[in-house]
Amino acid sequence: MADSDSHNSQTVLDGNQLIAKSLARFGVDRMFGVVGIPVTSLANRAVSLGVRFIAFHNEQSAGYAASAYGYLTGRPGVLLTVSGPGCVHGLAGLSNAMANGWPMVMISGSCDQKDFGRGDFQELDQIAAVKPFSKYSVKAKDICEIPDCVFQALSHAGSGRPGGCYLDFPSDVLHQTISESEAEGLLVSAAESLAKSEEVVVNVQDSQIEEAASLLRHAERPLIVFGKGAAFARAETVLTKLVESTGIPFLPTPMGKGLLPDTHDLAATAARSLAIGKCDVALVVGARLNWLLHFGEPPKWSKDVKFILVDVCKEEIELRNPHLGLVGDAKLVLEKINKAIKDDPFCLGRSHPWVEAISRKAKDNVLKMEAQLAKEVVPFNFLTPMKIIRDAILGLGSPTPILVSEGANTMDVGRAVLVQTEPRTRLDAGTWGTMGVGLGYCIAAAVASPDRLVVAVEGDSGFGFSAMEVETLVRYQLPVVVIVFNNGGVYGGDRRSPDEISGPYKDDPAPTSFVPSAGYHTLIEAFGGKGYLVGTPEELKSALAESFAARKPAVINVIIDPYAGAESGRLQHKN
């Protein structure tokens, strides 16, 4: 047990310093959070050791930032919160990381161990609270346990299927002290024990790789589907090689967009229903057969389709029970498939009936969409400003901005109109359909990729969840332009039918309504950022040109006709 008196002759460290040292030694260089009792000193100590701390207004947004940072960099995003309610707010980010399969570690202070159970300040059994949302959680009960706890949590977050982990540091442990030499010994032994326990890499059997190659080779209507797991695995080069050497059409999930450019000749996004409805073999890489892919079932998919699933998680493959399951890292598995195909090459060619059918359907749908986009509608519908934004982003060239998109209609229309040409440049509501991620994701993207502009296309409802974080954008001078589609509410204004408008509170605004024509652009001006109010094509073009060139925090408030949207975007059947 460490004590406070026996180290007078040499430098002593307290728990805060030892946690900061452990994080820095593991390679953590960014942290997101909200400070307060008992973790303020921990944040300051981390900063002094070279960890950049981004301070938020709300743990929810900070947690969303940490989860997205894990996805964008491939290293665990770290969230720091206070005890009790701080930990509970942080669960939003931790659960989002779990749902999306992103590496993240939440660190919370907790109450003094000897006072637990007596109604101490912000008392909560935080280990129990995080259980449903974390792969691994641990409380350091003594200062000597800190390095091992930190190394284990950070390692677990990124191993297997990545996800959220939790570290609990009671305030008494934060105040314990230890000599510098003892601390160094603990850090070295924590690193050594981690090195010994490095996970075994699962090797897919050659016979399974041969079978996958053979299924694709003999398919009449093959399709390659990939998701953000493939993006996380940095599989873009091997995926491009597979698509281009075989001529097989591909379909990305929304956040898989950009691994191959949306503009690629073999992209089937604009012919999605045909591609999934008629394919006979589907190679699915780093994407789960969940609601986003209609569970891989009829009527959306053919009842005879053979799925080849590539996933890092054995349990995921067992759950879906595909024709062939390949457990492993997407990039490594695809390298092996490419090698097997190279030994006996095949290529469908542009005149292949399946490629031709998808290409024809995609072109038809693109032409229909372009005809819609060609009409300039004022007051704005969703399409007119979205086309102007698309063209402004394309005009920037490479490196392309990271696009953050949330909202119902705004996200749906954006997914169809905006073009992704580079990997990991689209962040949206993801697997869980999480609203409120927008500003947190913007901040994570700006911190993870300082060379890129970040452009958020937000519904006014989605923006409202985290709008106060525009102050954070200004404080750190991040190159983020937030475009708010302002249609006066959730889905837009008052959508009730006459029979729903009754009762004593019938004169209240509808549950979906906000203040009409709200001045969202003035929020950022309060903190010294730049705000724009736009209602015409010329005003929007000018605001985009100016804000994109400035690369400074800005909010563009785009006034949309409140009757232009639909309920839940495309999810009416769920409501």
Side-chain angles (χ1 to χ4, degrees), residues 27-82:
V28 170
D29 58 0
R30 301 285 184 276
M31 203 184 319
F32 307 88
V34 178
V35 295
I37 296 169
V39 297
T40 307
S41 169
L42 169 49
N44 290 331
R45 293 294 186 182
V47 171
S48 71
L49 291 178
V51 178
R52 187 180 193 195
F53 189 85
I54 307 292
F56 281 70
H57 289 274
N58 180 322
E59 293 91 354
Q60 205 170 46
S61 288
Y64 291 144
S67 70
Y69 186 83
Y71 168 65
L72 290 169
T73 63
R75 303 191 309 277
V78 178
L79 166 67
L80 180 65
T81 86
V82 301

Side-chain angles (χ1 to χ4, degrees), residues 1-2 19 59 88 91 140 157 197 203 326 383 398 447 481 554:
M1 193 63 149
I19 296 164
E59 293 91 354
V88 170
L91 291 179
S197 68
N203 271 323
L326 306 175
L383 291 172
S398 187
V447 168
V481 177

Side-chain angles (χ1 to χ4, degrees), residues 167-244:
L167 282 168
D168 189 298
F169 293 116
S171 55
D172 51 304
V173 173
L174 297 175
H175 296 124
Q176 284 180 332
T177 57
I178 192 174
S179 73
E180 197 158 25
S181 58
E182 278 178 279
E184 188 53 40
L186 291 167
L187 285 161
V188 168
S189 89
E192 283 171 355
S193 70
L194 193 64
K196 284 191 198 112
S197 68
E198 284 301 343
E199 63 177 316
V200 185
V201 177
V202 183
N203 271 323
V204 181
Q205 293 165 1
D206 289 346
S207 61
Q208 292 181 301
I209 296 291
E210 288 298 340
E211 189 185 347
S214 172
L215 281 164
L216 291 171
R217 186 179 290 113
H218 296 113
E220 282 179 39
R221 296 176 301 282
L223 180 68
I224 297 170
V225 179
F226 50 84
K228 58 183 178 304
F232 182 82
R234 307 291 192 274
E236 52 269 19
T237 309
V238 284
L239 202 48
T240 304
K241 187 176 169 189
L242 177 64
V243 166
E244 294 186 343

Side-chain angles (χ1 to χ4, degrees), residues 64 67 90-101 104 132-134 164 432 434:
Y64 291 144
S67 70
L91 291 179
L94 195 65
S95 54
N96 192 62
M98 281 303 285
N100 285 292
M104 173 183 162
F133 311 112
S134 55
W432 236 21
T434 315

Side-chain angles (χ1 to χ4, degrees), residues 23 135 182 192 262 279 303 305 309-310 328 412 485 511 558 566:
L23 291 166
K135 292 174 68 176
E182 278 178 279
E192 283 171 355
D262 286 346
C279 70
K303 68 178 185 349
V305 64
L309 285 197
V310 178
D412 273 334
F485 276 47
V558 183

